């Protein structure tokens, strides 16, 4: 895609709201999508061939042989999710070449959310009125799609955050429940691998960007898999583990909500692009872009580890302690960001005032010379 993108018109030009200074190929999202769909298609083909006797069952580890019928049974749902992600990716690719109205994109996002809900991706635990589950699922999916899209504003940011989040969810699905969730855990590990492969080329200085084609696809995948993955384990009766997705995704959600608040507070359009994101505020604090991204990685890893703690500590009392800890971390960051921005604004005002003073002084000297 690095070679093909310029010929397809997929080039991100520098602009005032962007941090890169040289034209950079877009379309890395195409690589991410292929990195998810192709391995899953190969896995499905192998499972189908083994189940029909075309390949020996020795290719599959003994513990997984019991799950072959279940994998084939769940395959249509998996392909429904992947098809929905592909539709979002195509819309994002079109938007990368010729900007599309945000209203149209939002409409497509809700239509895709409704489609995957129809494929069985819907919240059901502790929801006793099915339509409420549909509504909550739709808004959760659209929220994550836009959260990861908003987060894609620095080299390696969305790709790295998605990789860490998917890895944390995979660990929970495969090791923290009484029975491993193989399909959801396997899809999450494929996403981890796809993001890791992309980061090789997207790490600062990036040779390619993922664009909307990648960020919206990853947002939908994580949204669907967090709904499909049953975090609540009936064997333990600990309902507080349902907070795990909110813990793992606390940083993208914090970035999305804080940016919305800043824009509305300043009388700006909530969907207008700017430099008010988490990463931009860390740079204003004095961090380099690379260190800002690493800081966000560490914050995401911290909140992800807090999600793992939910499975180690019993009861809602422990859960609220962990939630309070995450909120405190985000509040500390928020205070530092605010102080950094105020200091930067003060330095800018002082510099502007000094420039005006120097200009007035030079004008006076010129006038004296003329006299």
């Amino acid at each position: 895609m690095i070679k093909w993108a310029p010929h397809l018109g997929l080039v991100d030009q520098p602009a005032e709201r962007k941090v890169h200074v040289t034209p950079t190929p877009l379309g890395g999202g195409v690589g991410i999508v292929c990195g998810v769909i192709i391995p899953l298609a190969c896995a499905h083909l192998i499972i189908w061939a083994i189940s029909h006797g075309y390949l020996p069952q020795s290719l599959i580890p003994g513990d997984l042989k019991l799950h072959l019928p279940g994998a084939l049974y769940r395959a249509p749902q998996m392909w429904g999710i992947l098809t929905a992600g592909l539709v979002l990716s195509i819309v994002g690719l079109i938007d990368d070449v010729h900007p599309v109205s945000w209203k149209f994109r939002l409409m497509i996002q809700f239509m895709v959310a409704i489609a995957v809900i129809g494929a069985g991706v819907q919240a059901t635990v502790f929801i006793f009125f099915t339509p409420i589950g549909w509504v909550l699922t739709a808004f959760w999916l659209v929220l994550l799609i836009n959260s990861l899209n908003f987060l894609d504003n620095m080299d390696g940011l969305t790709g790295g955050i998605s990789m860490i989040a998917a890895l944390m969810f995979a660990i929970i699905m495969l090791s923290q429940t009484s029975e491993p969730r193989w399909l959801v855990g396997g899809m999450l590990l494929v996403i981890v691998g796809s993001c890791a492969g992309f980061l090789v080329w997207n790490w600062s200085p990036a040779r390619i960007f993922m664009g909307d084609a990648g960020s919206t696809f990853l947002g939908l995948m994580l949204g669907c898999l967090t709904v499909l993955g049953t975090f609540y384990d009936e064997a333990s009766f600990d309902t507080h583990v349902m907070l795990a997705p909110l813990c793992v995704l606390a940083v993208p959600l914090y970035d999305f909500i804080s940016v919305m608040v800043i824009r509305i507070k300043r009388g700006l359009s909530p969907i207008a692009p700017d430099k008010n994101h988490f990463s931009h505020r860390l740079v204003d604090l004095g961090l380099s872009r690379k260190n800002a991204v690493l800081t966000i990685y560490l914050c995401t890893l911290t909140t992800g580890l807090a999600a793992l703690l939910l499975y180690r500590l019993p009861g809602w009392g422990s859960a609220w302690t962990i939630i309070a800890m995450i909120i405190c971390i985000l509040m500390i960051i928020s205070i530092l960001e605010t102080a950094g921005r105020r200091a930067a604004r003060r330095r800018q005002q002082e510099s502007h005032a000094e420039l005006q003073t120097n200009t007035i002084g030079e004008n006076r000297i010129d006038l004296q010379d003329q006299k």
Side-chain angles (χ1 to χ4, degrees), residues 309-327:
L309 276 178
L310 289 174
Y311 288 84
R312 301 291 180 182
L313 301 175
W316 276 94
S318 302
W320 289 121
T321 302
I322 291 172
I323 295 298
M325 180 184 71
I326 291 175
I327 292 174

Side-chain angles (χ1 to χ4, degrees), residues 1-3 5-6 10-12 23-28 206-210:
M1 286 307 299
I2 293 174
K3 295 179 181 179
L10 291 168
V11 178
D12 195 8
T24 305
L26 282 166
R207 293 183 59 189
I208 190 169
F209 296 153
M210 72 167 61

Side-chain angles (χ1 to χ4, degrees), residues 17-157:
R17 70 174 181 87
K18 300 177 181 179
V19 297
H20 65 286
V21 294
T22 57
T24 305
L26 282 166
V30 176
I32 292 174
V33 173
C34 291
V36 173
I37 292 179
I38 292 175
L40 290 174
C42 292
H44 184 198
L45 181 62
I46 291 171
I47 291 172
W48 179 87
I50 291 174
S51 299
H52 288 77
Y54 296 111
L55 290 175
Q57 289 198 1
S58 58
L59 291 175
I60 300 292
D63 293 341
L64 295 180
K65 288 179 183 178
L66 296 173
H67 300 282
L68 291 183
L72 290 175
Y73 176 77
R74 296 285 297 278
Q77 187 180 58
M78 179 187 76
W79 283 109
I81 295 171
L82 292 175
T83 301
L86 190 59
V87 170
L88 268 188
S89 184
I90 291 172
V91 173
L93 202 61
I94 295 172
D95 185 56
D96 289 334
V97 180
H98 300 290
V100 178
S101 165
W102 68 269
K103 295 180 181 178
F104 175 77
R105 284 185 281 125
L106 191 62
M107 180 187 70
I108 295 294
Q109 290 170 9
F110 272 105
M111 290 175 64
V112 165
I114 292 170
V116 296
I117 290 171
V121 180
Q122 51 188 280
T124 55
V125 179
F126 309 122
I127 296 175
F128 304 103
F129 187 53
T130 302
I132 294 178
W134 296 341
V135 172
L136 290 176
T137 303
F139 277 98
W140 172 250
L141 295 177
V142 173
L143 175 63
L144 275 191
I145 290 168
N146 287 287
S147 293
L148 287 181
N149 189 24
F150 274 36
L151 200 65
D152 187 26
N153 51 68
M154 280 192 184
D155 296 349
L157 189 50

Side-chain angles (χ1 to χ4, degrees), residues 53 133 197 276 290 342 355:
N276 287 313
K290 188 177 294 186
R342 286 176 179 173
L355 180 63

